[in-house]
Amino acid sequence: MNVSYEVKEHVAVLTINRPEALNALNTAVLQDLSLAAAQAEADSDVYVLVITGSGRAFVAGADIVQMKDLNAVEAKSFAEVANNIFSKIEGMSKPVIAAVNGYALGGGCELAMACDIRIAGAKAKFGQPEVGLGITPGFGGTQRLPRIVGSSKAKELIFTAETINAEEALRIGLVSKVVADDELMSTAMEMANKIAKNAQIAVRQSKDAINKGMQCDINTGLAYETQAFSLCFSTEDQKDAMTAYVNKSKLSEFKNR
Ligand code: CO8
């Protein structure tokens, strides 16, 4: 297996595990990543997924050895397979945190960008080196990077193929937190556990409204939000939490229904 998967309470941790090739994404790794993400989505006990890499890389890109001799038709199919998997991860009902422990280059940066939140270890490195290899980004980089950091910075990063460090990634908004390398997983787990304690229907509706809203005009987005907001009033969680607030008591946990 190129991916290890374990569940701790309500948090699943998916570790890409091909350290000898800096976790480069070949067909087998993509397949295992896809299966593990689907497992997390299907498991009703899992509320949050954390994705990380083993060794000194998160993912150092798509596998260049596998890509080298592809023709255009094969390249299209490879890109489509990965794009489908990344879009499934992005579209998961549950929040996904990328704990970026090292190189996140090319397909690795693109995988991190398909996650909802990115936390970086201090040694993490980000970049889209594709034009230096004679190709464009192919696993979503031309689309997700400008949506996250703006088109000018995205174009600069993609056209120059420059690698940036974690502090610069934080400065441009590519990641939301940088922590010491040895605190990366504990920080990611702490954030995941904090999310897991909230009302999961509300968390998932929020994610859905944000994701849909990022793809449309603001009035359509506001309509998605109104739908998500009003749906929450049909849950026991909303009644329980607001009743507890009004009674000045503390809700011990959400039923998530
Ligand atoms: N593919 C295959 N093997 C890789 C990759 C990769 N992306 N990255 C690292 N490896 C392998 C190395 O070949 C090496 O293997 P070996 O020991 O057998 O020689 C091993 O991992 C360790 O790597 P290094 O010895 O190079 O480690 P260094 O610390 O010296 O360097 C780097 C680390 C800087 C990360 C370096 O490995 C590197 O530059 N890697 C390539 C990074 C890169 O260019 N990534 C982008 C790839 S393109 C991409 O992702 C496009 C996605 C869209 C594709 C569309 C499909 C059609």
Side-chain angles (χ1 to χ4, degrees), residues 18-25 56-57 59-67 70-72 74-80 82 103-110 127-130 133 135-140 163:
R18 193 191 172 209
E20 68 283 4
L22 301 186
N23 302 323
L25 301 171
R56 59 197 179 92
V59 166
D63 191 311
I64 299 169
V65 180
Q66 180 176 340
M67 279 188 298
L70 296 183
N71 62 33
E74 291 162 341
K76 183 166 185 270
S77 150
F78 187 46
E80 279 171 354
Y103 292 108
L105 301 175
C109 189
E110 290 166 313
Q128 296 290 159
E130 287 88 347
L133 290 163
I135 59 173
T136 69
F139 296 172
T163 296

mmCIF file of all heavy atoms in Angstrom, residues 18-25 56-57 59-67 70-72 74-80 82 103-110 127-130 133 135-140 163, ligand 1:
data_model
loop_
_atom_site.group_PDB
_atom_site.id
_atom_site.type_symbol
_atom_site.label_atom_id
_atom_site.label_comp_id
_atom_site.label_asym_id
_atom_site.label_seq_id
_atom_site.Cartn_x
_atom_site.Cartn_y
_atom_site.Cartn_z
ATOM 1 N N ARG A 18 5.240 6.799 0.122
ATOM 2 C CA ARG A 18 6.200 6.327 -0.902
ATOM 3 C C ARG A 18 7.458 7.183 -0.763
ATOM 4 O O ARG A 18 7.867 7.887 -1.702
ATOM 5 C CB ARG A 18 5.563 6.498 -2.294
ATOM 6 C CG ARG A 18 6.288 5.773 -3.392
ATOM 7 C CD ARG A 18 5.794 6.189 -4.771
ATOM 8 N NE ARG A 18 6.611 5.635 -5.804
ATOM 9 C CZ ARG A 18 6.800 6.198 -6.996
ATOM 10 N NH1 ARG A 18 6.208 7.339 -7.315
ATOM 11 N NH2 ARG A 18 7.573 5.624 -7.891
ATOM 12 N N PRO A 19 8.047 7.164 0.447
ATOM 13 C CA PRO A 19 9.111 8.130 0.756
ATOM 14 C C PRO A 19 10.335 7.994 -0.138
ATOM 15 O O PRO A 19 11.042 8.982 -0.367
ATOM 16 C CB PRO A 19 9.446 7.837 2.221
ATOM 17 C CG PRO A 19 8.926 6.477 2.495
ATOM 18 C CD PRO A 19 7.773 6.262 1.574
ATOM 19 N N GLU A 20 10.566 6.791 -0.682
ATOM 20 C CA GLU A 20 11.755 6.607 -1.525
ATOM 21 C C GLU A 20 11.678 7.464 -2.794
ATOM 22 O O GLU A 20 12.703 7.785 -3.386
ATOM 23 C CB GLU A 20 11.971 5.123 -1.850
ATOM 24 C CG GLU A 20 10.940 4.453 -2.754
ATOM 25 C CD GLU A 20 9.606 4.085 -2.054
ATOM 26 O OE1 GLU A 20 9.436 4.407 -0.872
ATOM 27 O OE2 GLU A 20 8.748 3.487 -2.741
ATOM 28 N N ALA A 21 10.471 7.861 -3.200
ATOM 29 C CA ALA A 21 10.315 8.751 -4.365
ATOM 30 C C ALA A 21 9.664 10.071 -3.924
ATOM 31 O O ALA A 21 8.986 10.735 -4.713
ATOM 32 C CB ALA A 21 9.484 8.072 -5.440
ATOM 33 N N LEU A 22 9.913 10.445 -2.672
ATOM 34 C CA LEU A 22 9.328 11.675 -2.095
ATOM 35 C C LEU A 22 7.815 11.740 -2.340
ATOM 36 O O LEU A 22 7.254 12.804 -2.608
ATOM 37 C CB LEU A 22 10.051 12.922 -2.635
ATOM 38 C CG LEU A 22 11.562 12.985 -2.365
ATOM 39 C CD1 LEU A 22 12.137 14.324 -2.823
ATOM 40 C CD2 LEU A 22 11.900 12.778 -0.893
ATOM 41 N N ASN A 23 7.182 10.575 -2.238
ATOM 42 C CA ASN A 23 5.715 10.439 -2.343
ATOM 43 C C ASN A 23 5.155 10.904 -3.697
ATOM 44 O O ASN A 23 3.996 11.333 -3.786
ATOM 45 C CB ASN A 23 5.003 11.176 -1.193
ATOM 46 C CG ASN A 23 5.458 10.659 0.157
ATOM 47 O OD1 ASN A 23 5.704 9.475 0.309
ATOM 48 N ND2 ASN A 23 5.591 11.537 1.135
ATOM 49 N N ALA A 24 5.985 10.817 -4.741
ATOM 50 C CA ALA A 24 5.534 11.207 -6.082
ATOM 51 C C ALA A 24 4.297 10.389 -6.464
ATOM 52 O O ALA A 24 4.196 9.190 -6.171
ATOM 53 C CB ALA A 24 6.659 10.993 -7.093
ATOM 54 N N LEU A 25 3.386 11.067 -7.134
ATOM 55 C CA LEU A 25 2.090 10.453 -7.452
ATOM 56 C C LEU A 25 2.178 9.685 -8.769
ATOM 57 O O LEU A 25 2.223 10.279 -9.847
ATOM 58 C CB LEU A 25 1.014 11.538 -7.569
ATOM 59 C CG LEU A 25 0.774 12.413 -6.336
ATOM 60 C CD1 LEU A 25 -0.155 13.581 -6.684
ATOM 61 C CD2 LEU A 25 0.197 11.588 -5.178
ATOM 62 N N ARG A 56 10.386 13.142 4.104
ATOM 63 C CA ARG A 56 10.684 14.573 4.006
ATOM 64 C C ARG A 56 9.866 15.298 2.945
ATOM 65 O O ARG A 56 10.145 16.440 2.604
ATOM 66 C CB ARG A 56 12.178 14.803 3.802
ATOM 67 C CG ARG A 56 12.764 14.168 2.579
ATOM 68 C CD ARG A 56 14.288 14.106 2.692
ATOM 69 N NE ARG A 56 14.844 13.462 1.521
ATOM 70 C CZ ARG A 56 15.240 14.119 0.436
ATOM 71 N NH1 ARG A 56 15.141 15.426 0.390
ATOM 72 N NH2 ARG A 56 15.735 13.461 -0.595
ATOM 73 N N ALA A 57 8.836 14.629 2.411
ATOM 74 C CA ALA A 57 7.969 15.306 1.438
ATOM 75 C C ALA A 57 6.508 15.127 1.810
ATOM 76 O O ALA A 57 6.130 14.113 2.421
ATOM 77 C CB ALA A 57 8.194 14.734 0.042
ATOM 78 N N VAL A 59 4.212 15.717 -0.989
ATOM 79 C CA VAL A 59 4.223 15.034 -2.288
ATOM 80 C C VAL A 59 5.095 15.888 -3.222
ATOM 81 O O VAL A 59 4.809 17.076 -3.404
ATOM 82 C CB VAL A 59 2.797 14.926 -2.882
ATOM 83 C CG1 VAL A 59 2.837 14.534 -4.358
ATOM 84 C CG2 VAL A 59 1.935 13.935 -2.103
ATOM 85 N N ALA A 60 6.148 15.287 -3.787
ATOM 86 C CA ALA A 60 7.060 16.064 -4.663
ATOM 87 C C ALA A 60 6.581 16.079 -6.110
ATOM 88 O O ALA A 60 7.385 16.246 -7.028
ATOM 89 C CB ALA A 60 8.475 15.521 -4.568
ATOM 90 N N GLY A 61 5.284 15.887 -6.306
ATOM 91 C CA GLY A 61 4.736 16.049 -7.652
ATOM 92 C C GLY A 61 4.212 14.760 -8.251
ATOM 93 O O GLY A 61 4.276 13.697 -7.636
ATOM 94 N N ALA A 62 3.693 14.903 -9.459
ATOM 95 C CA ALA A 62 3.331 13.721 -10.228
ATOM 96 C C ALA A 62 4.637 13.000 -10.553
ATOM 97 O O ALA A 62 5.704 13.608 -10.591
ATOM 98 C CB ALA A 62 2.610 14.134 -11.493
ATOM 99 N N ASP A 63 4.541 11.699 -10.772
ATOM 100 C CA ASP A 63 5.743 10.888 -10.999
ATOM 101 C C ASP A 63 6.321 11.180 -12.391
ATOM 102 O O ASP A 63 5.725 10.824 -13.414
ATOM 103 C CB ASP A 63 5.389 9.403 -10.853
ATOM 104 C CG ASP A 63 6.648 8.557 -10.811
ATOM 105 O OD1 ASP A 63 7.523 8.733 -11.680
ATOM 106 O OD2 ASP A 63 6.769 7.713 -9.907
ATOM 107 N N ILE A 64 7.483 11.819 -12.390
ATOM 108 C CA ILE A 64 8.105 12.241 -13.657
ATOM 109 C C ILE A 64 8.555 11.025 -14.470
ATOM 110 O O ILE A 64 8.479 11.028 -15.703
ATOM 111 C CB ILE A 64 9.290 13.200 -13.380
ATOM 112 C CG1 ILE A 64 8.778 14.464 -12.656
ATOM 113 C CG2 ILE A 64 10.001 13.599 -14.679
ATOM 114 C CD1 ILE A 64 9.863 15.374 -12.095
ATOM 115 N N VAL A 65 8.957 9.949 -13.768
ATOM 116 C CA VAL A 65 9.385 8.732 -14.480
ATOM 117 C C VAL A 65 8.192 8.163 -15.258
ATOM 118 O O VAL A 65 8.312 7.795 -16.432
ATOM 119 C CB VAL A 65 9.954 7.692 -13.484
ATOM 120 C CG1 VAL A 65 10.391 6.427 -14.207
ATOM 121 C CG2 VAL A 65 11.108 8.279 -12.677
ATOM 122 N N GLN A 66 7.030 8.133 -14.602
ATOM 123 C CA GLN A 66 5.832 7.610 -15.286
ATOM 124 C C GLN A 66 5.385 8.542 -16.421
ATOM 125 O O GLN A 66 4.926 8.087 -17.463
ATOM 126 C CB GLN A 66 4.679 7.421 -14.288
ATOM 127 C CG GLN A 66 3.425 6.876 -14.972
ATOM 128 C CD GLN A 66 2.272 6.584 -14.012
ATOM 129 O OE1 GLN A 66 2.448 6.429 -12.809
ATOM 130 N NE2 GLN A 66 1.066 6.507 -14.556
ATOM 131 N N MET A 67 5.563 9.866 -16.223
ATOM 132 C CA MET A 67 5.045 10.824 -17.223
ATOM 133 C C MET A 67 5.930 10.952 -18.461
ATOM 134 O O MET A 67 5.449 11.317 -19.532
ATOM 135 C CB MET A 67 4.932 12.223 -16.597
ATOM 136 C CG MET A 67 3.703 12.443 -15.765
ATOM 137 S SD MET A 67 3.564 14.175 -15.279
ATOM 138 C CE MET A 67 5.023 14.429 -14.294
ATOM 139 N N LEU A 70 4.800 9.563 -21.873
ATOM 140 C CA LEU A 70 3.372 9.585 -22.224
ATOM 141 C C LEU A 70 3.157 10.336 -23.542
ATOM 142 O O LEU A 70 3.839 11.330 -23.808
ATOM 143 C CB LEU A 70 2.558 10.306 -21.137
ATOM 144 C CG LEU A 70 2.505 9.703 -19.730
ATOM 145 C CD1 LEU A 70 1.595 10.547 -18.845
ATOM 146 C CD2 LEU A 70 2.018 8.256 -19.774
ATOM 147 N N ASN A 71 2.176 9.881 -24.326
ATOM 148 C CA ASN A 71 1.758 10.707 -25.460
ATOM 149 C C ASN A 71 0.591 11.592 -24.993
ATOM 150 O O ASN A 71 0.159 11.492 -23.835
ATOM 151 C CB ASN A 71 1.399 9.841 -26.681
ATOM 152 C CG ASN A 71 0.223 8.904 -26.404
ATOM 153 O OD1 ASN A 71 -0.684 9.245 -25.640
ATOM 154 N ND2 ASN A 71 0.248 7.722 -27.009
ATOM 155 N N ALA A 72 0.094 12.440 -25.867
ATOM 156 C CA ALA A 72 -0.917 13.423 -25.456
ATOM 157 C C ALA A 72 -2.196 12.751 -24.945
ATOM 158 O O ALA A 72 -2.821 13.225 -23.982
ATOM 159 C CB ALA A 72 -1.227 14.365 -26.619
ATOM 160 N N GLU A 74 -2.453 9.745 -23.543
ATOM 161 C CA GLU A 74 -2.179 9.145 -22.229
ATOM 162 C C GLU A 74 -2.057 10.230 -21.151
ATOM 163 O O GLU A 74 -2.514 10.050 -20.019
ATOM 164 C CB GLU A 74 -0.890 8.319 -22.299
ATOM 165 C CG GLU A 74 -1.038 7.066 -23.149
ATOM 166 C CD GLU A 74 0.309 6.468 -23.602
ATOM 167 O OE1 GLU A 74 1.335 7.185 -23.584
ATOM 168 O OE2 GLU A 74 0.321 5.294 -23.991
ATOM 169 N N ALA A 75 -1.464 11.363 -21.532
ATOM 170 C CA ALA A 75 -1.322 12.468 -20.565
ATOM 171 C C ALA A 75 -2.700 12.992 -20.162
ATOM 172 O O ALA A 75 -2.950 13.297 -18.987
ATOM 173 C CB ALA A 75 -0.490 13.594 -21.175
ATOM 174 N N LYS A 76 -3.601 13.052 -21.134
ATOM 175 C CA LYS A 76 -4.970 13.534 -20.843
ATOM 176 C C LYS A 76 -5.638 12.594 -19.846
ATOM 177 O O LYS A 76 -6.246 13.023 -18.855
ATOM 178 C CB LYS A 76 -5.760 13.591 -22.155
ATOM 179 C CG LYS A 76 -7.173 14.130 -22.018
ATOM 180 C CD LYS A 76 -7.742 14.462 -23.395
ATOM 181 C CE LYS A 76 -9.108 15.114 -23.294
ATOM 182 N NZ LYS A 76 -10.201 14.153 -23.308
ATOM 183 N N SER A 77 -5.468 11.314 -20.085
ATOM 184 C CA SER A 77 -6.109 10.338 -19.210
ATOM 185 C C SER A 77 -5.505 10.397 -17.789
ATOM 186 O O SER A 77 -6.222 10.365 -16.790
ATOM 187 C CB SER A 77 -5.988 8.967 -19.872
ATOM 188 O OG SER A 77 -5.931 7.970 -18.927
ATOM 189 N N PHE A 78 -4.163 10.525 -17.711
ATOM 190 C CA PHE A 78 -3.491 10.624 -16.402
ATOM 191 C C PHE A 78 -3.991 11.861 -15.645
ATOM 192 O O PHE A 78 -4.341 11.792 -14.457
ATOM 193 C CB PHE A 78 -1.972 10.693 -16.624
ATOM 194 C CG PHE A 78 -1.130 10.627 -15.376
ATOM 195 C CD1 PHE A 78 -1.378 9.690 -14.379
ATOM 196 C CD2 PHE A 78 -0.070 11.505 -15.187
ATOM 197 C CE1 PHE A 78 -0.578 9.633 -13.222
ATOM 198 C CE2 PHE A 78 0.734 11.455 -14.045
ATOM 199 C CZ PHE A 78 0.471 10.516 -13.059
ATOM 200 N N ALA A 79 -4.059 12.998 -16.352
ATOM 201 C CA ALA A 79 -4.516 14.239 -15.712
ATOM 202 C C ALA A 79 -5.980 14.119 -15.293
ATOM 203 O O ALA A 79 -6.372 14.588 -14.213
ATOM 204 C CB ALA A 79 -4.329 15.420 -16.667
ATOM 205 N N GLU A 80 -6.787 13.464 -16.118
ATOM 206 C CA GLU A 80 -8.213 13.331 -15.776
ATOM 207 C C GLU A 80 -8.411 12.460 -14.538
ATOM 208 O O GLU A 80 -9.240 12.770 -13.672
ATOM 209 C CB GLU A 80 -8.995 12.759 -16.976
ATOM 210 C CG GLU A 80 -9.318 13.812 -18.000
ATOM 211 C CD GLU A 80 -9.896 13.253 -19.295
ATOM 212 O OE1 GLU A 80 -9.956 12.008 -19.465
ATOM 213 O OE2 GLU A 80 -10.273 14.068 -20.141
ATOM 214 N N ALA A 82 -6.299 12.020 -12.053
ATOM 215 C CA ALA A 82 -5.896 12.779 -10.861
ATOM 216 C C ALA A 82 -6.893 13.893 -10.564
ATOM 217 O O ALA A 82 -7.275 14.111 -9.407
ATOM 218 C CB ALA A 82 -4.500 13.357 -11.062
ATOM 219 N N TYR A 103 8.253 18.863 0.911
ATOM 220 C CA TYR A 103 7.997 19.322 -0.460
ATOM 221 C C TYR A 103 6.531 19.134 -0.853
ATOM 222 O O TYR A 103 5.974 18.040 -0.712
ATOM 223 C CB TYR A 103 8.857 18.540 -1.449
ATOM 224 C CG TYR A 103 10.335 18.827 -1.326
ATOM 225 C CD1 TYR A 103 11.201 17.888 -0.785
ATOM 226 C CD2 TYR A 103 10.847 20.044 -1.756
ATOM 227 C CE1 TYR A 103 12.568 18.155 -0.673
ATOM 228 C CE2 TYR A 103 12.209 20.318 -1.645
ATOM 229 C CZ TYR A 103 13.050 19.379 -1.101
ATOM 230 O OH TYR A 103 14.392 19.647 -0.985
ATOM 231 N N ALA A 104 5.930 20.210 -1.353
ATOM 232 C CA ALA A 104 4.591 20.138 -1.963
ATOM 233 C C ALA A 104 4.742 20.815 -3.313
ATOM 234 O O ALA A 104 4.482 22.010 -3.465
ATOM 235 C CB ALA A 104 3.561 20.845 -1.091
ATOM 236 N N LEU A 105 5.237 20.048 -4.275
ATOM 237 C CA LEU A 105 5.574 20.609 -5.582
ATOM 238 C C LEU A 105 4.656 20.031 -6.650
ATOM 239 O O LEU A 105 4.255 18.863 -6.567
ATOM 240 C CB LEU A 105 7.030 20.276 -5.942
ATOM 241 C CG LEU A 105 8.090 20.787 -4.942
ATOM 242 C CD1 LEU A 105 9.479 20.302 -5.335
ATOM 243 C CD2 LEU A 105 8.052 22.305 -4.840
ATOM 244 N N GLY A 106 4.333 20.826 -7.660
ATOM 245 C CA GLY A 106 3.526 20.335 -8.764
ATOM 246 C C GLY A 106 2.250 19.695 -8.253
ATOM 247 O O GLY A 106 1.449 20.322 -7.543
ATOM 248 N N GLY A 107 2.067 18.411 -8.563
ATOM 249 C CA GLY A 107 0.878 17.675 -8.109
ATOM 250 C C GLY A 107 0.725 17.674 -6.592
ATOM 251 O O GLY A 107 -0.391 17.510 -6.081
ATOM 252 N N GLY A 108 1.825 17.874 -5.862
ATOM 253 C CA GLY A 108 1.750 17.905 -4.395
ATOM 254 C C GLY A 108 1.134 19.201 -3.903
ATOM 255 O O GLY A 108 0.297 19.215 -2.989
ATOM 256 N N CYS A 109 1.529 20.316 -4.536
ATOM 257 C CA CYS A 109 0.929 21.606 -4.195
ATOM 258 C C CYS A 109 -0.548 21.565 -4.608
ATOM 259 O O CYS A 109 -1.429 22.059 -3.897
ATOM 260 C CB CYS A 109 1.682 22.712 -4.944
ATOM 261 S SG CYS A 109 1.236 24.364 -4.456
ATOM 262 N N GLU A 110 -0.805 20.909 -5.745
ATOM 263 C CA GLU A 110 -2.184 20.825 -6.247
ATOM 264 C C GLU A 110 -3.063 19.965 -5.327
ATOM 265 O O GLU A 110 -4.235 20.277 -5.102
ATOM 266 C CB GLU A 110 -2.164 20.272 -7.685
ATOM 267 C CG GLU A 110 -1.568 21.296 -8.660
ATOM 268 C CD GLU A 110 -1.207 20.732 -10.018
ATOM 269 O OE1 GLU A 110 -0.555 19.655 -10.057
ATOM 270 O OE2 GLU A 110 -1.558 21.343 -11.032
ATOM 271 N N GLY A 127 5.522 24.891 -4.688
ATOM 272 C CA GLY A 127 5.815 25.425 -6.013
ATOM 273 C C GLY A 127 5.117 24.645 -7.103
ATOM 274 O O GLY A 127 4.613 23.536 -6.885
ATOM 275 N N GLN A 128 5.063 25.284 -8.267
ATOM 276 C CA GLN A 128 4.506 24.635 -9.471
ATOM 277 C C GLN A 128 5.634 24.655 -10.504
ATOM 278 O O GLN A 128 5.731 25.580 -11.318
ATOM 279 C CB GLN A 128 3.283 25.422 -9.976
ATOM 280 C CG GLN A 128 2.106 25.462 -9.020
ATOM 281 C CD GLN A 128 1.360 24.155 -8.814
ATOM 282 O OE1 GLN A 128 0.682 23.980 -7.825
ATOM 283 N NE2 GLN A 128 1.487 23.201 -9.735
ATOM 284 N N PRO A 129 6.509 23.620 -10.470
ATOM 285 C CA PRO A 129 7.698 23.653 -11.338
ATOM 286 C C PRO A 129 7.455 23.191 -12.775
ATOM 287 O O PRO A 129 8.407 23.052 -13.547
ATOM 288 C CB PRO A 129 8.655 22.686 -10.623
ATOM 289 C CG PRO A 129 7.819 21.828 -9.758
ATOM 290 C CD PRO A 129 6.485 22.469 -9.574
ATOM 291 N N GLU A 130 6.180 22.994 -13.157
ATOM 292 C CA GLU A 130 5.893 22.316 -14.428
ATOM 293 C C GLU A 130 6.513 22.959 -15.650
ATOM 294 O O GLU A 130 7.001 22.261 -16.550
ATOM 295 C CB GLU A 130 4.364 22.193 -14.633
ATOM 296 C CG GLU A 130 3.701 21.163 -13.733
ATOM 297 C CD GLU A 130 3.275 21.723 -12.389
ATOM 298 O OE1 GLU A 130 3.691 22.845 -12.042
ATOM 299 O OE2 GLU A 130 2.516 21.038 -11.683
ATOM 300 N N LEU A 133 9.607 21.801 -16.793
ATOM 301 C CA LEU A 133 9.633 20.427 -17.319
ATOM 302 C C LEU A 133 8.930 20.353 -18.674
ATOM 303 O O LEU A 133 8.628 19.272 -19.170
ATOM 304 C CB LEU A 133 8.918 19.486 -16.327
ATOM 305 C CG LEU A 133 9.640 19.226 -15.000
ATOM 306 C CD1 LEU A 133 8.669 18.656 -13.972
ATOM 307 C CD2 LEU A 133 10.811 18.277 -15.195
ATOM 308 N N ILE A 135 5.843 21.379 -19.391
ATOM 309 C CA ILE A 135 4.380 21.154 -19.341
ATOM 310 C C ILE A 135 3.719 22.261 -18.510
ATOM 311 O O ILE A 135 4.401 23.033 -17.833
ATOM 312 C CB ILE A 135 4.014 19.772 -18.732
ATOM 313 C CG1 ILE A 135 4.566 19.630 -17.300
ATOM 314 C CG2 ILE A 135 4.512 18.647 -19.628
ATOM 315 C CD1 ILE A 135 4.095 18.365 -16.584
ATOM 316 N N THR A 136 2.402 22.298 -18.570
ATOM 317 C CA THR A 136 1.645 23.182 -17.674
ATOM 318 C C THR A 136 1.295 22.387 -16.427
ATOM 319 O O THR A 136 1.351 21.151 -16.446
ATOM 320 C CB THR A 136 0.307 23.626 -18.311
ATOM 321 O OG1 THR A 136 -0.556 22.470 -18.383
ATOM 322 C CG2 THR A 136 0.493 24.202 -19.708
ATOM 323 N N PRO A 137 0.889 23.056 -15.352
ATOM 324 C CA PRO A 137 0.286 22.287 -14.259
ATOM 325 C C PRO A 137 -0.885 21.489 -14.833
ATOM 326 O O PRO A 137 -1.561 21.954 -15.760
ATOM 327 C CB PRO A 137 -0.204 23.374 -13.289
ATOM 328 C CG PRO A 137 0.683 24.543 -13.567
ATOM 329 C CD PRO A 137 0.933 24.499 -15.053
ATOM 330 N N GLY A 138 -1.109 20.284 -14.291
ATOM 331 C CA GLY A 138 -2.149 19.440 -14.891
ATOM 332 C C GLY A 138 -3.134 18.861 -13.903
ATOM 333 O O GLY A 138 -4.112 18.215 -14.284
ATOM 334 N N PHE A 139 -2.860 19.066 -12.613
ATOM 335 C CA PHE A 139 -3.781 18.519 -11.601
ATOM 336 C C PHE A 139 -4.479 19.670 -10.862
ATOM 337 O O PHE A 139 -4.686 19.625 -9.654
ATOM 338 C CB PHE A 139 -3.037 17.639 -10.585
ATOM 339 C CG PHE A 139 -2.398 16.377 -11.130
ATOM 340 C CD1 PHE A 139 -1.572 15.602 -10.316
ATOM 341 C CD2 PHE A 139 -2.621 15.931 -12.421
ATOM 342 C CE1 PHE A 139 -0.976 14.435 -10.774
ATOM 343 C CE2 PHE A 139 -2.015 14.759 -12.906
ATOM 344 C CZ PHE A 139 -1.189 14.018 -12.076
ATOM 345 N N GLY A 140 -4.819 20.729 -11.605
ATOM 346 C CA GLY A 140 -5.638 21.803 -11.018
ATOM 347 C C GLY A 140 -4.908 23.082 -10.671
ATOM 348 O O GLY A 140 -5.527 24.049 -10.236
ATOM 349 N N THR A 163 10.249 27.900 -6.337
ATOM 350 C CA THR A 163 9.807 27.216 -5.113
ATOM 351 C C THR A 163 9.827 28.222 -3.969
ATOM 352 O O THR A 163 10.782 28.985 -3.833
ATOM 353 C CB THR A 163 10.770 26.051 -4.803
ATOM 354 O OG1 THR A 163 10.675 25.111 -5.865
ATOM 355 C CG2 THR A 163 10.416 25.352 -3.505
HETATM 356 N N1 CO8 B 1 8.715 12.009 -9.754
HETATM 357 C C1 CO8 B 1 9.456 10.894 -9.662
HETATM 358 N N2 CO8 B 1 10.455 10.728 -8.771
HETATM 359 C C2 CO8 B 1 10.701 11.746 -7.921
HETATM 360 C C3 CO8 B 1 9.963 12.939 -7.955
HETATM 361 C C4 CO8 B 1 8.923 13.050 -8.916
HETATM 362 N N3 CO8 B 1 8.128 14.146 -9.003
HETATM 363 N N4 CO8 B 1 10.435 13.759 -7.001
HETATM 364 C C5 CO8 B 1 11.437 13.087 -6.388
HETATM 365 N N5 CO8 B 1 11.600 11.893 -6.941
HETATM 366 C C6 CO8 B 1 12.594 10.870 -6.577
HETATM 367 C C7 CO8 B 1 13.959 11.226 -7.110
HETATM 368 O O1 CO8 B 1 14.084 10.866 -8.471
HETATM 369 C C8 CO8 B 1 14.854 10.387 -6.204
HETATM 370 O O2 CO8 B 1 14.820 9.054 -6.651
HETATM 371 P P1 CO8 B 1 16.193 8.200 -6.747
HETATM 372 O O3 CO8 B 1 16.682 8.124 -5.318
HETATM 373 O O4 CO8 B 1 15.748 6.897 -7.300
HETATM 374 O O5 CO8 B 1 17.118 8.985 -7.624
HETATM 375 C C9 CO8 B 1 14.125 10.440 -4.873
HETATM 376 O O6 CO8 B 1 12.773 10.830 -5.172
HETATM 377 C C10 CO8 B 1 14.709 11.456 -3.922
HETATM 378 O O7 CO8 B 1 14.749 12.686 -4.576
HETATM 379 P P2 CO8 B 1 16.112 13.548 -4.759
HETATM 380 O O8 CO8 B 1 17.311 12.682 -4.653
HETATM 381 O O9 CO8 B 1 15.960 14.364 -6.005
HETATM 382 O O10 CO8 B 1 16.001 14.483 -3.460
HETATM 383 P P3 CO8 B 1 16.618 15.940 -3.289
HETATM 384 O O11 CO8 B 1 16.487 16.260 -1.841
HETATM 385 O O12 CO8 B 1 17.973 16.038 -3.894
HETATM 386 O O13 CO8 B 1 15.649 16.900 -4.126
HETATM 387 C C11 CO8 B 1 13.510 17.712 -4.899
HETATM 388 C C12 CO8 B 1 14.309 17.053 -3.752
HETATM 389 C C13 CO8 B 1 14.014 19.158 -5.078
HETATM 390 C C14 CO8 B 1 12.040 17.730 -4.507
HETATM 391 C C15 CO8 B 1 13.738 16.917 -6.211
HETATM 392 O O14 CO8 B 1 13.478 15.538 -5.946
HETATM 393 C C16 CO8 B 1 12.863 17.337 -7.343
HETATM 394 O O15 CO8 B 1 13.146 18.364 -7.970
HETATM 395 N N6 CO8 B 1 11.801 16.548 -7.638
HETATM 396 C C17 CO8 B 1 10.915 16.843 -8.715
HETATM 397 C C18 CO8 B 1 9.960 17.953 -8.327
HETATM 398 C C19 CO8 B 1 9.043 18.303 -9.453
HETATM 399 O O16 CO8 B 1 9.462 18.811 -10.487
HETATM 400 N N7 CO8 B 1 7.747 18.049 -9.273
HETATM 401 C C20 CO8 B 1 6.725 18.377 -10.236
HETATM 402 C C21 CO8 B 1 6.490 17.234 -11.135
HETATM 403 S S1 CO8 B 1 5.420 17.694 -12.467
HETATM 404 C C22 CO8 B 1 3.868 17.623 -11.820
HETATM 405 O O17 CO8 B 1 3.656 17.361 -10.675
HETATM 406 C C23 CO8 B 1 2.796 17.950 -12.793
HETATM 407 C C24 CO8 B 1 1.411 17.509 -12.357
HETATM 408 C C25 CO8 B 1 0.497 17.501 -13.545
HETATM 409 C C26 CO8 B 1 0.831 16.388 -14.446
HETATM 410 C C27 CO8 B 1 -0.099 16.253 -15.609
HETATM 411 C C28 CO8 B 1 -0.088 14.816 -16.108
HETATM 412 C C29 CO8 B 1 -0.099 14.644 -17.536
#
